[in-house]
């Protein structure tokens, strides 16, 4: 990471959503990993929840958090695979379309490149993605412990650090609602 120590660290407020039909607060290990990393990085974990793999419920939860002034960014884990129950990307598409949002295609591409180093060609089964909706970021990571480590350690830790150079997601936040 290219941290410029002369720049001020700006903590952001992050909501964390685990998408799973089977996980509970006691078994949500990937959510635990992300929560620990979010806090260790100096950010504020303002909400944490588990939601079943249902596009309508996910869309509703995401929209509620997007409307909350205390949320700057949402990170999800789970539901990005290829099975019939994996609907996180579809929920993000609904949120994006209803808010005239934008895709961040480089996020999924970079995630799969990083993940390739960890799990090889199996990374092709991931539909990890990111969008901007209503001036806020939503990052969708797969649900495995390794995937959330790859996503946070390899991308989000740097891009959500306001000191990262030459640029980062945090410095763009005030301008995300521009027309």
């Amino acid at each position: 990471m290219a941290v410029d120590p002369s720049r001020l660290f700006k903590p952001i407020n992050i909501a964390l959503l685990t998408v799973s039909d089977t996980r509970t607060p006691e078994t949500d290990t990937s959510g635990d990993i992300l929560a620990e990393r979010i806090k260790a990085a100096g950010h504020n974990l303002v909400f944490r929840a588990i939601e079943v793999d249902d596009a309508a419920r996910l869309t509703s939860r995401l929209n509620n958090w997007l409307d909350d002034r205390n949320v700057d960014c949402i990170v999800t884990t789970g539901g990005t695979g290829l099975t019939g129950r994996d609907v996180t990307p579809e929920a993000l598409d609904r949120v994006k379309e209803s808010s005239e949002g934008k895709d961040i295609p480089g996020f999924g591409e970079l995630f799969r490149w990083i993940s390739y180093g960890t799990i090889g060609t199996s990374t092709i089964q991931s539909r990890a993605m990111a969008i901007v909706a209503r001036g806020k970021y939503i990052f969708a990571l797969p649900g495995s412990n390794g995937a959330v480590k790859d996503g946070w350690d390899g991308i989000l830790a740097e891009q959500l650090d306001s000191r990262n150079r030459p640029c980062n997601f945090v410095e763009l936040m005030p301008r995300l609602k521009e027309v």
Side-chain angles (χ1 to χ4, degrees):
M1 179 165 40
V3 170
D4 180 346
S6 69
R7 296 185 80 186
L8 179 67
F9 176 77
K10 297 176 187 169
I12 63 170
N13 296 332
I14 300 175
L16 173 58
L17 181 62
T18 297
V19 180
S20 174
D21 289 334
T22 59
R23 296 204 183 165
T24 66
E26 297 76 33
T27 63
D28 183 18
T29 55
S30 60
D32 291 342
I33 290 167
L34 281 170
E36 290 169 12
R37 280 168 161 72
I38 289 166
K39 293 175 194 173
H43 299 297
N44 304 308
L45 182 62
V46 292
F47 294 111
R48 181 174 176 189
I50 298 173
E51 197 68 69
V52 296
D53 292 281
D54 177 273
R57 287 178 66 169
L58 295 175
T59 301
S60 177
R61 169 80 69 171
L62 295 171
N63 279 321
N64 286 338
W65 283 351
L66 288 171
D67 289 338
D68 191 309
R69 281 189 243 172
N70 293 317
V71 175
D72 297 316
C73 171
I74 301 168
V75 178
T76 73
T77 174
T80 62
L82 301 175
T83 71
R85 295 292 297 160
D86 292 320
V87 295
T88 302
E90 287 75 17
L92 266 65
D93 283 343
R94 290 180 186 182
V95 169
K96 179 185 67 177
E97 290 169 14
S98 69
S99 66
E100 298 181 21
K102 296 180 179 183
D103 286 315
I104 308 173
F107 178 82
E109 295 162 358
L110 181 55
F111 172 83
R112 283 179 283 280
W113 180 76
I114 291 168
S115 180
Y116 179 78
T118 306
I119 63 170
T121 59
S122 294
T123 193
I124 202 165
Q125 296 178 30
S126 167
R127 296 186 300 147
M129 64 180 293
I131 65 169
V132 174
R134 296 202 289 276
K136 299 178 183 185
Y137 299 109
I138 305 177
F139 302 101
L141 296 170
S144 74
N145 292 350
V148 298
K149 289 174 186 176
D150 285 348
W152 183 268
D153 299 346
I155 306 170
L156 294 177
E158 292 183 17
Q159 282 298 299
L160 295 179
D161 189 325
S162 57
R163 303 166 298 174
N164 191 64
R165 296 304 230 164
C167 55
N168 60 74
F169 285 139
V170 177
E171 65 191 1
L172 296 177
M173 292 173 88
R175 298 177 39 215
L176 292 177
K177 291 184 179 181
E178 289 177 345
V179 284

